[in-house]
Amino acid sequence: MRIIIAPDSFKGSLTAKEFCDAAERGIRKCLPNADIVKMPIADGGEGTMDCILSVVSGYTESLDVTSAFLGEKRTVRVGFVDGGKTAVIETAEAMGLPSVGERKNPLLTTTYGVGEMIAYALDHGAKKLILTLGGSSTNDCGAGMMAAMGAKFYGDDGKSFVPTGGTLCKVSSCDLSVLWELLSGVEIVAMCDVKNPLCGENGCSAVYAPQKGADAAMVKLLDSGCRHFADIVAACNAKSGVSAQDFSKFPGAGAAGGLGFACVACMYGSLRSGIGTVLDLYGFEAAAGTADYVITGEGRFDAQSLMGKAIGGILEKTRDAVRACGRDSERRIVPVVVFCGKNLLSDGVSGKVLCDASENSSVAVENAERYPNLSVYEISTGQSLDYAMTHAAQNLEAATEKWAEVRAASFPPELTEFC
C-alpha cells in the first residue's frame, strides 16, 4: 500500500512536518510495511522554504541584508534547488511581520532586503526565482526590492531615493532599465494565493495594512501612494514601449503590500498559486497517480479549504493525476483523506462534507459533490480548544491509527470508478 502524506500545518499547534511524522507513527502501528511518502506543505507563508527543502534536494546559504527598516541589517537564508539553478526566496525572512515586533509601521518598512536576496541568488547562478509572498510587514509596492536591484526612483528635485510606503506619493518618475537588464532571461514565479488588487477598498492598504500597524489615516495615505506609484510605473512602461496594461488591477497585485504588483508590472514574472507551485516542485501529481491514498489536513476545515488553499490544491492535483492515468486504467480513483482539528462542514456523525449552515455556503456543497473521493475526520471532537491545541500530535496519531486499522482489515482497497 502506497500512502502520500501531504498536510498543511495546524496553526499554532502542529507544523506540517510534525503532522507527517505523527500520521506515519499512527499508520505504521497497523500497516508497518506501507510505502509512505511524506510531503509537508506550505502555501507561500512562513516556513515555505523549509518545507520545500525538506522534500526537494537543496541547500541554503546565509547572508546579511537590509531588514524591514532601512539602515538596519538582518541575517537571512536563500534556498537553492535543481543544482542551484532555482532559488527559493522567502520574502518574509527579510521583512516579515514578526521581525518588526512592536515597531509595526507600513509607512516606514521596506522590501529592500528582498532585492538584496534576489541579487545574491542571481550572482550565484540562479536562472529561476521562486518568491513566497506571505507574511510581510510592508506596503511599498516592492519599490525597495527594485531599488536594491538597480531601479531608480526620482523625486521632484530630480534626486533618486528609496521609497517606502509613506513616500510612494513623492515619486515623480522612475528608470527601470537596470532592473530589466539584470532580470533578462530569468524566470520569476511568485507564490500568491490572495486575489486582491493593488488599490481601493479591496487593495493591500485597506485590507492588510491595519494588520501591519496602520490606522485609518495611514491606510488612506498608503492607498493614495500605491495609486500614484502604479501610475508612475505605467508611464515608465508606456514610454519604454514595454506595456500599456494597468497591472494595479491584476488579481494578486496587492499581495505582500504590493510585491505582487512589482512582480508582474516591473519584473514581468507570474503570480501562481502557492500550493500549486509547491506541489509541482514536489512532483506530487506523478506520485499521486501511483498512490492508494493521499492523506492531508489542516487545523480548521471549512468552505475555504476547498477553494484554492492546500487541501483544494491537493484535490485538484489528485484528480489530474487520475485523469493522466488514462480512461482505461484500472485505477479510477485515489481517495483523499483529511484529518483536521475542527470540521465545520460535517454533520458530526457520518463525516460527510456538508454545507456549513452558519455560512450557508452553496460553494461548499458544490465542491463536495465534485470530490466523491474526499473523506474528512475530525481528530479532537469534544475537546476544549486548549486541550486540542496541546495534544494535536497525540490526537492525530490515534486518529490515523484507527483509520489504518480499518484499511489493514480490508486491503487491497476497493477502488470505485471515478468519472
Side-chain angles (χ1 to χ4, degrees):
M1 180 184 292
R2 191 162 197 249
I3 301 170
I4 296 174
I5 306 177
D8 200 352
S9 63
F10 282 24
K11 296 296 188 292
S13 63
L14 204 62
T15 67
K17 184 179 184 302
E18 289 169 341
F19 181 115
C20 288
D21 293 341
E24 181 181 24
R25 288 194 300 269
I27 291 168
R28 290 209 183 279
K29 289 179 182 179
C30 299
L31 296 168
N33 297 319
D35 177 13
I36 294 177
V37 179
K38 296 188 286 187
M39 298 182 176
I41 296 298
D43 57 10
E46 185 179 356
T48 297
M49 181 175 65
D50 286 332
C51 275
I52 291 173
L53 294 178
S54 72
V55 176
V56 181
S57 179
Y59 58 94
T60 64
E61 295 188 2
S62 297
L63 65 151
D64 290 336
V65 300
T66 301
S67 75
F69 298 98
L70 289 170
E72 299 181 15
K73 290 293 186 179
R74 179 176 178 81
T75 301
V76 302
R77 299 169 303 150
V78 173
F80 291 92
V81 298
D82 191 23
K85 296 177 183 178
T86 298
V88 182
I89 295 175
E90 191 166 307
T91 62
E93 288 236 341
M95 46 63 179
L97 192 57
S99 73
V100 303
E102 299 300 317
R103 296 193 293 163
K104 295 178 183 177
N105 189 337
L107 297 179
L108 301 179
T109 48
T110 180
T111 55
Y112 197 92
V114 177
E116 292 174 311
M117 294 168 74
I118 292 174
Y120 179 90
L122 297 178
D123 285 344
H124 286 72
K127 294 300 182 182
K128 178 178 181 179
L129 304 173
I130 297 176
L131 309 181
T132 73
L133 301 190
S136 80
S137 65
T138 55
N139 207 98
D140 72 348
C141 292
M145 171 184 67
M146 294 185 287
M149 293 187 285
K152 296 293 184 182
F153 301 99
Y154 300 97
D156 288 335
D157 59 2
K159 296 180 179 179
S160 65
F161 70 105
V162 179
T164 62
T167 57
L168 289 173
C169 55
K170 296 182 179 180
V171 178
S172 61
S173 64
C174 66
D175 180 355
L176 305 180
S177 58
V178 174
L179 173 72
W180 292 336
E181 183 177 354
L182 179 68
L183 297 176
S184 177
V186 178
E187 180 184 359
I188 300 173
V189 176
M191 295 173 62
C192 166
D193 283 324
V194 304
K195 303 298 182 184
N196 304 77
L198 182 64
C199 310
E201 62 181 4
N202 294 317
C204 60
S205 304
V207 176
Y208 300 110
Q211 304 168 16
K212 305 173 184 182
D215 58 23
M218 292 165 67
V219 167
K220 185 175 181 180
L221 175 62
L222 289 166
D223 187 60
S224 176
C226 288
R227 179 67 270 165
H228 173 78
F229 187 77
D231 290 341
I232 294 295
V233 167
C236 177
N237 284 341
K239 182 178 180 180
S240 302
V242 175
S243 175
Q245 184 175 353
D246 181 4
F247 288 99
S248 69
K249 299 178 181 179
F250 200 89
L259 265 181
F261 171 78
C263 287
V264 295
C266 307
M267 298 164 65
Y268 308 108
S270 61
L271 301 183
R272 291 191 55 196
S273 159
I275 182 62
T277 302
V278 170
L279 292 176
D280 285 348
L281 277 173
Y282 286 0
F284 175 86
E285 186 175 323
T290 64
D292 295 297
Y293 293 96
V294 172
I295 289 177
T296 184
E298 62 180 355
R300 173 188 169 107
F301 182 80
D302 58 21
Q304 295 298 314
S305 301
L306 300 172
M307 299 171 64
K309 294 174 66 177
I311 292 175
I314 286 169
L315 283 162
E316 290 290 350
K317 288 289 186 181
T318 302
R319 169 174 280 192
D320 292 344
V322 171
R323 288 173 173 166
C325 288
R327 185 183 297 271
D328 297 327
S329 171
E330 294 180 0
R331 302 189 56 75
R332 300 294 180 87
I333 188 171
V334 177
V336 176
V337 185
V338 175
F339 290 93
C340 61
K342 186 66 176 177
N343 181 6
L344 298 184
L345 299 181
S346 170
D347 59 8
V349 178
S350 68
K352 181 181 179 182
V353 180
L354 302 176
C355 172
D356 182 352
S358 65
E359 298 181 5
N360 192 25
S361 175
S362 60
V363 175
V365 174
E366 292 168 3
N367 277 285
E369 291 174 348
R370 290 179 63 197
Y371 302 112
N373 58 330
L374 174 66
S375 58
V376 182
Y377 295 85
E378 185 176 287
I379 68 172
S380 56
T381 303
Q383 298 176 0
S384 69
L385 178 60
D386 287 344
Y387 185 91
M389 293 280 285
T390 56
H391 291 77
Q394 297 93 317
N395 287 339
L396 178 60
E397 185 174 337
T400 52
E401 179 184 359
K402 184 177 180 180
W403 174 86
E405 184 179 10
V406 175
R407 304 287 88 71
S410 61
F411 186 77
E414 183 176 328
L415 299 178
T416 306
E417 184 172 357
F418 180 70
C419 300

